[in-house]
Amino acid sequence: APTALEVDSALKLIDGFLTDLSARAPQAVRDRERHAAIEKAKQEWECTADALTAMVCLLDADGLILRANRVVEHWGLGSVGVVVGKRAHAVLHPDCTHASCRVAQWLQGALRKLRGGDPQEFEFYSPAGDQTLQFTLRPMRIDDAAAPEPPDTRSVLVVTDVSALRRAQKALENVNLNLESRVRVRTRELDESNRDLRKEVERREHAEHELRASRNNLALLSEQLIQAQEGERRRIALELHDSVGQSLSAIKYTLERAIIMVQRPNLDRKSTRLNSSHLG
C-alpha cells in the first residue's frame, strides 16, 4: 500500500496538472475564437470580392494566378479552381497564339516595372467582341529595403469591363461632333443671313439716297418750272403791253375821233373816216 507521503505527492502532482490544464484552457479557447474570426473575415472578404463586377486575381512573381474571384465564371473564363495556376493572359485570351499580343506584352512588362512599387494600367479594345478591358496591376506591398521581412512579390490584377462606358463616351463624342457640325452649319447660315441682311441694308440705303437725290432733282425742276412760268408770264405781259396795248390804244384813239366826227354835220366824210385804215 502506498505511504502517506506517496499519496500526498500524487495528489500534489494531480493538482498541479489540473491547475496547468485550467490555465491552458482559456488560451486554447481564445485561439479557437481568433481562428474562427479570421476564417469568418476571410469568407466575408471572399464574398465581397465575388460580388464585384471586376475580375480580381492574386498573382505570384511569375504572373501565375494564385487566387481569383468568381467573376471569371460570370465571364465564361472557367471555374475558380480551373484558372488557379494559369497565367492571366492564358485565362483572358485562351485561344491567342500571337507573339505580339498587346495584353501578353503589357503583363510581362508590368510585372517587371511593378518592382518599383508604382501601379501599372493598360486598356485594351477587342474589335471582335466590341469589348474594352481596363487592366490595373498593383503590388501587394511596396518593397522596403529597411523592412525586416522579405518583400512580398505578389501582385493584384484587376480587370474591369468598361465597354459600356466607352460606348457611352463614344456616343457622347458623336453627339458632340454632330452638335458641333450643326452649330457650324447654323453659324454659316447665320453669317450668310447677316451678309444678305447687310447687302439689303446697303441696297435700301442706296435706294434712299437715290430717292433723296430724285426729290432734290424734282424740287429743282419744280423751281425751274415755276421760274420758266414766271418768265413766260412776264414775256406775255411785255408783249401785251408793247403790241396789243399799242393796237388797243390806236383803236381807242380812232374810235374817239370817229365819235367826234359823227357829231359833226359832214356825214360822208365821217363815213370815209370810219372806213380808213385806222380801223384795219
Side-chain angles (χ1 to χ4, degrees), residues 57-101:
C57 300
L58 178 63
L59 307 181
D60 63 3
D62 297 327
L64 298 178
I65 298 177
L66 301 177
R67 299 188 69 177
N69 61 350
R70 294 192 178 277
V71 175
V72 295
E73 298 177 356
H74 301 330
W75 288 4
L77 303 176
S79 63
V80 175
V82 170
V83 300
V84 171
K86 292 184 177 180
R87 295 188 180 275
H89 174 254
V91 174
L92 293 169
H93 286 175
D95 300 327
C96 180
T97 57
H98 299 286
S100 60
C101 178

Side-chain angles (χ1 to χ4, degrees), residues 154-174:
R154 295 176 300 175
S155 58
V156 177
L157 175 65
V158 180
V159 184
T160 307
D161 189 351
V162 294
S163 303
L165 177 61
R166 294 296 177 262
R167 283 193 289 268
Q169 291 177 344
K170 186 65 175 178
L172 182 60
E173 290 176 358
N174 292 334

Side-chain angles (χ1 to χ4, degrees), residues 18-39:
L18 292 175
T19 302
D20 183 65
L21 184 61
S22 62
R24 290 176 178 272
Q27 182 65 33
V29 172
R30 287 194 295 270
D31 290 341
R32 285 197 299 272
E33 291 176 351
R34 184 168 58 253
H35 288 304
I38 293 173
E39 290 297 327

Side-chain angles (χ1 to χ4, degrees), residues 205-241:
E205 289 179 351
H206 181 69
E208 186 176 356
H209 178 72
E210 290 183 349
L211 180 60
R212 286 196 297 268
S214 299
R215 288 177 179 175
N216 294 333
N217 293 332
L218 181 61
L220 181 61
L221 290 174
S222 299
E223 184 178 357
Q224 291 177 354
L225 179 60
I226 293 173
Q227 292 178 356
Q229 290 176 350
E230 292 294 333
E232 185 66 19
R233 289 192 186 99
R234 286 193 297 270
R235 186 184 64 79
I236 293 174
L238 290 174
E239 289 181 357
L240 290 175
H241 182 272

